[in-house]
Amino acid sequence: MSADEIVARARALVGAPFRLHGRDPATGLDCVGLCALAYRVTVLIPTGYALKGGTASGYAALIDGFAARRDGAPQTADVLLIQPGALHFHLGIWTGESLIHAHAGL
C-alpha cells in the first residue's frame, strides 16, 4: 500500500467523532483507531490504555504494527508518536504537510 493511499484513508476519517478505544468512524475513533483504519491493520488493535498516562515506550509499542522506522525526519504516511503535554501521548499520521489525528480536545 502506498503512502498516498494511507494518507487518503486518514483524510477520509477527518470529522469522525472522538471516542477512547473507538475503532468505527460512525461511532468514534481515538488516535490508535484512526491509524489502524488508515493502515488497514487487521491484527488485534490494543485497547485498555488510558487517555492520559503511561510512557513513551509503552505507547511506541502500540504502533509497532504501523511503523518500523524510529528515527530521522518524518516521511509521508509515517505514524508519529507525540507528547503534547505531561503524561499525554498521542498518535497521528503525517501527510507531508500536516498531522491527521483523532483528539479528545484536551
Side-chain angles (χ1 to χ4, degrees):
M1 116 184 63
S2 75
D4 290 339
E5 291 170 321
I6 294 165
V7 169
R9 282 195 295 278
R11 283 192 172 122
L13 297 169
V14 170
F18 179 85
R19 184 170 61 90
L20 184 62
H21 306 139
R23 303 295 183 258
D24 181 343
T27 59
L29 298 172
D30 67 2
C31 61
V32 176
L34 178 133
C35 292
L37 290 175
Y39 268 79
R40 291 190 174 162
V41 173
T42 57
V43 297
L44 182 64
I45 306 302
T47 60
Y49 47 86
L51 187 59
K52 281 190 162 186
T55 64
S57 61
Y59 280 88
L62 292 175
I63 63 172
D64 282 345
F66 309 124
R69 207 165 40 80
R70 297 202 180 262
D71 56 5
Q75 303 296 310
T76 300
D78 278 356
V79 174
L80 303 183
L81 173 63
I82 58 174
Q83 186 175 4
L87 299 176
H88 186 189
F89 296 94
H90 190 55
L91 303 179
I93 296 178
W94 182 247
T95 69
E97 301 171 347
S98 62
L99 188 71
I100 297 174
H101 62 113
H103 195 270
L106 298 175

